[in-house]
Amino acid sequence: MWDYSDKVKEHFFNPKNAGAVVDANATGEVGSISCGDALRLTLKVDDATEVILEAGFQTFGCGSAIASSSVLTEIIKGMTLDEALKVTNQDIADQLEGLPPEKMHCSVMGREALQAAIANYRGEEWKDDHEEGALICKCFAIDAVMIEEMVWANKLRTVQDVTNFTKAGGGCAACHEDIEAILEKVLAEKGEKFDPNAAPVETPVKIAAVKAPLTNLQRIKKIEQVLESLRPSLMADGGDVELVEVIGNTAYVNMTGACNGCQMAAMTIAGIQQRLMEVMGEFIKVVPATEMAKLVNIEAVS
Amino acid sequence: MTDIYLDNNATTKVDRAVVDAMIPYFLEQYGNPSSIHKFADGVARGIKQARQQVQNLIGCEHDSEIIFTSCGTESNSTAILSAIKAQPNKKEIITTTVEHPAILSLCEYLEKEGYTIHRLPVDKAGRLNLESYKKLLSDEVAIVSVMWANNETGTIFPVAEMAEMANAAGVMFHTDAVQAVGKIPMMLQDTKIDMLSLSGHKLHAPKGIGVLYLRRGTRYRPLLRGGHQERGRRAGTENSASIVGLGKACELALEFIEYENTKVKAMRDRLERGITEQIPHCFVTGDLYNRLPNTTDIAFEYIEGESILMLLNKAGIAASSGSACTSGSLEPSHVMRAMDIPYTAAHGTIRFSFSRYNTMSEVDEVLKVMPGIVATLRKLSPYWDSINNAPVTNPEQAFQPTYA
């Protein structure tokens, strides 16, 4: 079964705020019964201050769906509606000490129910803006719909293209057959044929591979170039990366925005490292800058 | 209280006697059966005995019709790929919508390669229509592959009759009998079944050992080519300890086959009756009058299976579910969808599968906790009216969440 955190189990076995709020004045209903997840969130909002006084949930769903609903109601109680709108699905997942990639959509459902409930209170109509497909890349939690859209929008042709644009397939590589199947399908719809050896499409910044050895200055410039080329795909997820220091073959980076504290940060760093090594033709170790102080100190002592 | 294992269709505990039979083949008779020295001279005998033990359980005519493989999936792949390799001009395959992924995924792949796959639908009780099956049989069909019993509902398909029909039309017939072998009696020599897959770990042998039964005279092309093992039909050094273990397990299964169909069945029936009598809005899926004796699959409406499993697990009870969430997919089990079980019930299906190790007192234990678990989750469900303790009126209309 899933490797749920203790926090998920705690909220599943002893859910908080289960059931509908009796005199609720905001209701949000989201989910899909065909997928086996559906959530009704009811709120009692103070009309004068717009503070959420009470929150209750009713969930049809798995352990993590119930835990996400429960923790969501705990997070938003006492917030104003504007504060509550800033709650992200990552906040929900963080409060639960993480969710398996296949279950991140449970936290998304929580955030959407909240948006729907607030829209309901304000007399607006809420529209779901995302469509979810089958999960393809488990390392980076990228689904089929996302990959298809990127293939269409950017005229992608190879698995490497898909990895460059979406990160999908950049980790363990087990999903490459599935990505090829998507490419085959989309290219067929466009009247083209999938060719695994096709030349990759232009990536945002094209960097020619270099021959080692490099001087330290060349190395730093090259690392910056590579990071620059990777930033668009990180920024698409609301994250970013900056280079802090280079000591020998080790590059210290800061993961910022959504990347900061994201469970995928370690995978992302591994992806960056791999890309750097490909381009630079030498071993490069990428380490979060938070680790730097310790290491520098050790070096200073020794 | 010790934990209760009711997930025997997923896998089984290895019988102590099976382990005991295997140990000498790790520590003493560990030689390669092809070698000529005393570390190996007992191995060939052990394997020969195992072949006969398997033969006795499935009732085939010759022990040379038994090919040892690594698992049920390998046997399934070997059977289908052999049939299409041996008959390259035949481009159609007949199977069912409710097969195990070991068959369905392979067929999907072959479909991309240009094969036409006929997937027989099932009715609401999980039964096939033999009339429409008959119409599909033709010279174009390379092989029919139909499971003997369904892993989720336990529903038994009339494979003997279907094999006769295929044979009359000159079409090869394969059955994935992984769930059926050891649970219901079989006598393959009286049937027209050409190939059959079985898996050791479903009948108290270890994981990693399977069998492909290949009727003498059936045209065959190996999946793995190499050494002369299994008469050149499945190359690769024999997994001798596991083969011996499987043989022992088959001997025991034959010994217990009546127990399985009386005592084990009685436990299943009592659990099923107890649950459906005590808990409102639940129903048994599949063909109630034609099922494996050890399996019951019950749909609990308006709640979700993984949640049920987590609460059962907390109570020390192991079962499994056809819900989407347990597999990480977006759809509930294809078997439930094929039977047209509504989504509000399909996601809440729980399969209890017994073995000869279970006891009646375990059944009572499950009956004690199950109503509470269902009630707890229904209290959380938007489809359930907690005040009247009944589903909300028109559940599917009353709660219609937004989704793109």
Side-chain angles (χ1 to χ4, degrees):
Chain A
M1 228 199 289
W2 305 105
D3 190 12
Y4 284 137
S5 70
D6 290 341
K7 205 78 186 174
V8 171
K9 288 183 200 155
E10 189 187 311
H11 275 277
F12 171 71
F13 289 123
N14 296 299
K16 307 276 168 41
N17 313 308
V21 172
V22 182
D23 42 359
N25 53 3
T27 304
E29 298 181 345
V30 295
S32 158
I33 189 60
S34 66
C35 302
D37 282 314
L39 162 58
R40 176 194 283 138
L41 181 70
T42 46
L43 307 177
K44 189 178 174 191
V45 182
D46 185 310
D47 286 325
T49 59
E50 288 209 332
V51 167
I52 298 170
L53 303 173
E54 279 180 62
F57 77 89
Q58 289 163 286
T59 297
F60 175 98
C62 57
S64 55
I66 288 171
S68 295
S69 310
S70 167
V71 84
L72 168 71
T73 56
E74 286 288 282
I75 293 173
I76 60 173
K77 269 201 298 186
M79 280 185 171
T80 64
L81 295 184
D82 286 336
E83 285 167 347
L85 276 175
K86 289 186 192 131
V87 173
T88 65
N89 75 296
Q90 195 60 52
D91 294 333
I92 297 171
D94 288 348
Q95 281 288 316
L96 290 171
E97 292 166 4
L99 286 169
E102 289 89 343
K103 298 288 191 173
M104 281 303 280
H105 68 95
C106 293
S107 63
V108 174
M109 185 169 74
R111 191 204 55 185
E112 288 175 347
L114 176 61
Q115 291 173 336
I118 294 174
N120 171 258
Y121 175 81
R122 292 179 168 168
E124 299 160 3
E125 198 183 333
W126 181 80
K127 271 211 169 73
D128 185 359
D129 57 356
H130 89 290
E131 194 184 342
E132 202 179 340
L135 189 63
I136 301 290
C137 170
K138 293 190 179 175
C139 298
F140 295 112
I142 312 288
D143 67 51
V145 172
M146 161 91 161
I147 296 174
E148 268 181 48
E149 280 170 1
M150 291 301 262
V151 172
W152 271 108
N154 298 294
K155 303 190 174 67
L156 307 184
R157 286 169 196 287
T158 65
V159 174
Q160 189 58 51
D161 289 341
V162 172
T163 306
N164 290 345
F165 277 77
T166 68
K167 291 194 290 187
C172 73
C175 61
H176 284 195
E177 186 183 354
D178 296 334
I179 295 177
E180 284 193 14
I182 292 173
L183 284 164
E184 265 173 41
K185 187 183 128 206
V186 175
L187 291 175
E189 283 166 14
K190 295 165 76 174
E192 295 172 37
K193 220 171 141 33
F194 169 67
D195 171 11
N197 301 315
V201 299
E202 288 274 314
T203 42
V205 181
K206 204 170 182 184
I207 301 163
V210 292
K211 299 250 184 292
L214 298 166
T215 67
N216 219 23
L217 191 62
Q218 285 172 322
R219 184 175 295 126
I220 292 170
K221 277 188 178 161
K222 212 71 200 170
I223 292 173
E224 281 196 312
Q225 258 187 318
V226 172
L227 291 182
E228 202 56 41
S229 74
L230 293 171
R231 288 179 66 211
S233 68
L234 295 173
M235 282 154 78
D237 288 348
D240 207 347
V241 61
E242 61 174 0
L243 182 64
V244 177
E245 174 66 295
V246 178
I247 301 173
N249 282 345
T250 307
Y252 295 94
V253 297
N254 254 340
M255 305 299 287
T256 54
C259 290
N260 182 25
C262 168
Q263 295 170 285
M264 301 295 172
M267 291 299 300
T268 308
I269 283 181
I272 294 172
Q273 177 169 319
Q274 196 184 343
R275 183 79 187 125
L276 280 170
M277 290 196 288
E278 277 166 20
V279 173
M280 307 189 55
E282 62 177 19
F283 179 75
I284 298 285
K285 189 170 166 58
V286 180
V287 177
T290 45
E291 304 278 316
M292 187 168 65
K294 296 182 237 168
L295 293 170
V296 170
N297 285 342
I298 290 165
E299 272 182 10
V301 170
S302 62
Chain B
M1 191 193 76
T2 51
D3 289 346
I4 299 173
Y5 187 75
L6 290 174
D7 200 11
N8 287 282
N9 283 14
T11 193
T12 58
K13 167 175 159 177
V14 179
D15 196 297
R16 170 62 61 184
V18 170
V19 176
D20 290 343
M22 290 173 69
I23 285 171
Y25 293 87
F26 291 114
L27 302 177
E28 295 148 29
Q29 286 291 306
Y30 52 81
N32 190 319
S34 308
S35 305
I36 315 247
H37 47 60
K38 69 174 183 180
F39 298 94
D41 59 6
V43 185
R45 248 178 289 130
I47 291 176
K48 185 171 174 53
Q49 190 196 4
R51 219 180 281 285
Q52 285 163 353
Q53 286 161 323
V54 179
Q55 180 193 4
N56 291 341
L57 179 64
I58 64 176
C60 60
E61 199 173 350
H62 311 282
D63 68 354
S64 59
E65 292 172 326
I66 305 294
I67 301 172
F68 290 110
T69 65
S70 67
C71 59
T73 299
E74 186 195 323
S75 302
N76 284 336
S77 273
T78 306
I80 291 183
L81 295 173
S82 163
I84 62 176
K85 283 267 188 243
Q87 309 164 98
N89 51 337
K90 300 192 175 190
K91 297 288 185 195
E92 293 181 22
I93 295 170
I94 301 176
T95 184
T96 77
T97 49
V98 296
E99 294 300 306
H100 189 271
I103 296 288
L104 288 180
S105 299
L106 177 62
C107 285
E108 237 169 73
Y109 172 73
L110 292 172
E111 202 164 34
K112 284 189 204 150
E113 305 271 287
Y115 281 84
T116 302
I117 312 293
H118 303 287
R119 298 173 181 86
L120 298 168
V122 295
D123 65 12
K124 289 185 174 180
R127 294 168 301 198
L128 297 170
N129 180 332
L130 294 194
E131 278 306 307
S132 41
Y133 164 61
K134 193 173 182 182
K135 285 185 196 134
L136 289 172
L137 289 166
S138 78
D139 288 344
E140 303 300 313
V141 179
I143 187 165
V144 178
S145 180
V146 172
M147 65 198 335
W148 199 310
N150 185 269
N151 49 313
E152 288 186 34
T153 63
T155 300
I156 296 171
F157 284 145
V159 283
E161 193 181 344
M162 294 177 84
E164 292 281 349
M165 291 160 74
N167 186 263
V171 177
M172 266 187 210
F173 190 91
H174 164 256
T175 180
D176 173 359
V178 156
Q179 292 295 346
V181 172
K183 292 175 191 154
I184 49 176
M186 45 187 70
M187 189 53 70
L188 284 185
Q189 53 186 294
D190 295 341
T191 73
K192 294 281 195 292
I193 293 167
D194 297 300
M195 289 185 267
L196 170 144
S197 304
L198 73 88
S199 175
H201 74 97
K202 306 285 190 192
L203 51 135
H204 306 290
K207 292 146 190 76
I209 184 71
V211 161
L212 176 66
Y213 157 78
L214 178 70
R215 173 182 297 283
R216 184 173 284 186
T218 305
R219 293 184 63 214
Y220 179 75
R221 298 289 180 273
L223 181 67
L224 300 184
R225 290 175 189 272
H228 56 85
Q229 296 89 352
E230 301 301 287
R231 298 168 193 257
R233 297 172 302 178
R234 200 282 188 182
T237 299
E238 295 89 342
N239 183 357
S240 40
S242 290
I243 288 173
V244 169
L246 175 61
K248 184 69 190 171
C250 285
E251 182 192 310
L252 291 167
L254 190 58
E255 235 169 75
F256 279 96
I257 200 108
E258 199 189 324
Y259 186 90
E260 185 86 18
N261 287 277
T262 52
K263 297 280 169 49
V264 173
K265 181 172 182 294
M267 290 188 264
R268 189 275 311 268
D269 289 346
R270 180 182 170 113
L271 178 75
E272 190 170 281
R273 208 175 313 117
I275 285 178
T276 49
E277 278 172 10
Q278 286 182 55
I279 300 175
H281 296 280
C282 71
F283 59 89
V284 181
T285 72
D287 185 358
L288 270 56
Y289 306 101
N290 198 16
R291 274 185 303 164
L292 293 175
N294 78 319
T295 309
T296 180
D297 187 68
I298 303 176
F300 298 94
E301 291 182 273
Y302 313 115
I303 50 176
E304 198 274 335
E306 188 201 288
S307 301
I308 304 174
L309 291 182
M310 286 176 72
L311 291 175
L312 277 171
N313 187 47
K314 202 180 173 208
I317 299 162
S320 64
S321 166
S323 90
C325 284
T326 45
S327 61
S329 75
L330 292 173
E331 276 270 309
S333 121
H334 65 287
V335 179
M336 296 303 134
R337 292 306 301 144
M339 293 193 296
D340 205 17
I341 307 281
Y343 283 117
T344 40
H347 284 290
T349 50
I350 298 293
R351 177 188 69 190
F352 299 98
S353 46
F354 288 79
S355 81
R356 56 179 185 259
Y357 291 109
N358 293 115
T359 61
M360 268 305 179
S361 62
E362 290 180 337
V363 172
D364 293 337
E365 208 54 52
V366 178
L367 286 175
K368 253 187 250 165
V369 300
M370 201 65 211
I373 288 175
V374 173
T376 303
L377 291 171
R378 279 184 177 160
K379 263 190 215 154
L380 300 179
S381 169
Y383 294 98
W384 196 258
D385 175 351
S386 302
I387 297 156
N388 297 314
N389 195 28
V392 294
T393 349
N394 290 331
E396 309 259 4
Q397 276 79 45
F399 181 62
Q400 287 184 301
T402 314
Y403 204 79

